[in-house]
Amino acid sequence: MGIPEKIKRIKEEMRRTQINKATERHLGVLKARLARLKRMQEEQASKRAGGNAGYSVKKGGDATVVLLGLPSVGKSTLLNHLTGSNSKVAAYNFTTLTVIPGILNHKGARVQVLDIPGIIKGASEGKGLGKRVLSAARSADLLLVMLDVFNPDSREILLDEVRAIGIRPDEAMPRVNVKKRSSGGVTVTDLAGVTHVDEEGVKQVLRGYGQPNAHVTIRQDITYDQLIDVLMKNRVYVPTLTVVNKIDMVDQSYLADLKESLRFEFLPISADNDVNLDRLKDQIFRKLDFIRVYMKPKGEEPDYDEPMIIRNGDTVEDVADKVHRRLKEELRYTRIWGRSVRFGGQKVRLTHPPMDEDIITFYS
Ligand SMILES: Nc1nc2c(ncn2[C@@H]2O[C@H](COP(=O)(O)OP(=O)(O)O)[C@@H](O)[C@H]2O)c(=O)[nH]1
Ligand SMILES: [Mg+2]
């Protein structure tokens, strides 16, 4: 039996299986088998295509925001108004045929904003411009979900499409560690407080995925879906911001009703009329969790005029790479003054995460 046939059979069995407490484990195992087969299929396809199938977008700026919205919600308009770039705007679908980048300058940060062609339901399965274009979203540090004021329910469609290509919007990476080994079967520790999976289920899911020997440490309550995400390894965990566009077309009471009825937070905007775009820039900046560090050349004053913008959690190594790609090779040590160290001028390792307004000197 070939892979497509096996996939079909598993999907049929999943459809036949009712979802309830008693079948959770069985469904988990089916999903694990399916995940393994799909991975094998993708590996074969990418070999045939000669490697990387999908857009690879060069990282530019201090972070990347990807606009996610159905055709005609106003993505190109917003990109143009935020960044002054020239993404073609038109009143019909599919005007954006490739990924269009623009740079948003805000509070010293340079944010790359990508306008990707209108996503439609089924894009992740290759419908419309499909998977290749959607894959640009995997490079995002933030997904800007854009809805039309007359069609605000499309949020779940969009999120489902990006979930299907391995993006986990607004989820944190599960605190689960799977350590492969050569024998000994599957062992599981730290199941205290875990309610959605059990030891036998974890074992079966790992076997179903083709990993019969491993030690699994579970540090939070996870589902089988999350366990499979951990096994797949290629998941990306990305925060989202949601905007509702074209509010110039509705009145205040319509907006108030929307706020009542929608179960998610959103910022109402009008891209075309520049309504709330400054607030949007602030929210993007905050959501990306930027911090500023000042570079101090050896024996000189810190450069307070041009802070380097990094993300909260970035390390000294990230800073070094940003200064110069090859700085690390010659680097002997690094000193930091500021909130992330106990005393000023403390020597720190490459793995040290600076804090906002730290001062850094590299010694080479
Ligand atoms: N009324 C109104 N129309 C808008 C707004 N933003 C975009 N549009 C219009 O919506 C249509 C589609 O916009 P476009 O940016 O091409 O959408 P895209 O397909 O998501 O890139 C165009 O006719 C825009 O002029 C807005 O804030 N208000
Ligand atoms: Mg467009």
Side-chain angles (χ1 to χ4, degrees):
M1 205 185 335
I3 292 179
E5 179 64 18
K6 285 184 187 162
I7 287 179
K8 208 173 124 215
R9 288 204 184 180
I10 293 177
K11 281 187 171 166
E12 273 163 16
E13 190 175 345
M14 284 170 74
R15 259 194 300 277
R16 280 199 309 270
T17 311
Q18 282 183 15
I19 302 173
N20 59 47
K21 197 76 198 158
T23 58
E24 251 172 36
R25 186 199 280 168
H26 181 58
L27 275 170
V29 174
L30 291 176
K31 283 178 188 166
R33 286 198 200 129
L34 190 62
R36 181 191 192 192
L37 289 167
K38 282 195 166 164
R39 197 194 57 193
M40 285 158 68
Q41 201 173 37
E42 267 163 28
E43 278 165 6
Q44 286 178 1
S46 103
K47 249 185 221 145
R48 267 199 305 275
N52 199 345
Y55 269 83
S56 61
V57 180
K58 249 218 211 115
K59 282 264 178 186
D62 300 309
T64 300
V65 174
V66 169
L67 298 178
L68 212 56
L70 294 181
S72 299
V73 291
K75 295 180 299 298
S76 303
T77 307
L78 181 65
L79 181 79
N80 296 343
H81 284 243
L82 285 180
T83 71
S85 67
N86 251 318
S87 188
K88 204 165 144 202
V89 178
Y92 50 87
N93 298 350
F94 302 122
T95 37
T96 317
L97 293 175
T98 52
V99 176
I100 308 224
I103 293 283
L104 160 66
N105 288 298
H106 188 61
K107 292 185 175 167
R110 297 177 76 248
V111 179
Q112 174 171 258
V113 183
L114 301 179
D115 176 15
I116 62 178
I119 294 173
I120 55 171
K121 198 170 156 69
S124 59
E125 282 155 11
K127 296 213 181 94
L129 290 160
K131 205 169 181 170
R132 251 165 63 80
V133 165
L134 199 50
S135 69
R138 287 179 58 93
S139 66
D141 298 300
L142 174 66
L143 292 174
L144 187 57
V145 180
M146 206 170 168
L147 309 174
D148 188 295
V149 74
F150 295 121
N151 184 22
D153 296 327
S154 56
R155 185 168 181 267
E156 272 311 306
I157 297 174
L158 297 165
L159 294 184
D160 278 345
E161 290 305 318
V162 299
R163 282 187 192 110
I165 59 159
I167 294 172
R168 294 292 171 267
D170 290 328
E171 281 182 39
M173 192 186 294
R175 284 177 292 124
V176 172
N177 186 24
V178 178
K179 203 164 182 231
K180 266 195 215 176
R181 54 188 181 187
S182 52
S183 62
V186 176
T187 50
V188 190
T189 50
D190 286 1
L191 277 162
V194 172
T195 58
H196 293 101
V197 303
D198 57 32
E199 186 170 354
E200 187 50 35
V202 172
K203 287 182 178 178
Q204 286 182 19
V205 163
L206 262 83
R207 281 188 222 118
Y209 190 73
Q211 220 153 285
N213 298 299
H215 182 68
V216 185
T217 317
I218 301 180
R219 295 200 179 80
Q220 73 176 74
D221 199 5
I222 52 159
T223 61
Y224 289 116
D225 285 335
Q226 287 175 302
L227 178 61
I228 293 165
D229 281 345
V230 172
L231 294 172
M232 294 287 281
K233 290 201 183 95
N234 61 352
R235 303 313 197 204
V236 288
Y237 297 84
V238 188
T240 72
L241 256 182
T242 303
V243 294
V244 170
N245 190 34
K246 307 190 187 181
I247 57 159
D248 54 290
M249 313 260 285
V250 301
D251 60 17
Q252 282 302 320
S253 75
Y254 184 99
L255 261 188
D257 286 349
L258 263 192
K259 275 189 185 141
E260 283 277 301
S261 63
L262 296 179
R263 282 179 308 153
F264 49 84
E265 298 266 318
F266 64 88
L267 180 69
I269 64 167
S270 170
D272 216 10
N273 299 284
D274 289 307
V275 177
N276 274 344
L277 296 196
D278 283 331
R279 277 177 70 189
L280 175 58
K281 288 177 191 175
D282 281 342
Q283 287 194 5
I284 290 173
F285 189 92
R286 232 176 302 137
K287 199 82 181 181
L288 286 169
D289 211 359
F290 285 129
I291 62 175
R292 297 153 294 175
V293 295
Y294 303 107
M295 305 310 300
K296 172 176 150 55
K298 259 179 291 184
E300 291 176 37
E301 287 302 304
D303 178 1
Y304 289 114
D305 295 332
E306 277 189 49
M308 177 180 284
I309 303 279
I310 59 170
R311 313 274 305 280
N312 199 1
D314 280 355
T315 62
V316 167
E317 181 170 10
D318 296 317
V319 177
D321 287 343
K322 240 176 153 166
V323 172
H324 193 283
R325 197 182 300 260
R326 304 186 59 180
L327 174 65
K328 250 176 359 206
E329 292 168 20
E330 286 135 35
L331 187 64
R332 284 186 299 135
Y333 57 92
T334 307
R335 288 189 193 278
I336 289 193
W337 291 257
R339 287 197 295 132
S340 77
V341 287
R342 270 171 296 140
F343 57 90
Q346 190 175 320
K347 276 193 191 177
V348 294
R349 292 172 192 271
L350 282 176
T351 52
H352 177 87
M355 286 167 78
D356 194 28
E357 303 216 70
D358 274 3
I359 296 166
I360 302 183
T361 302
F362 290 116
Y363 293 83
S364 50

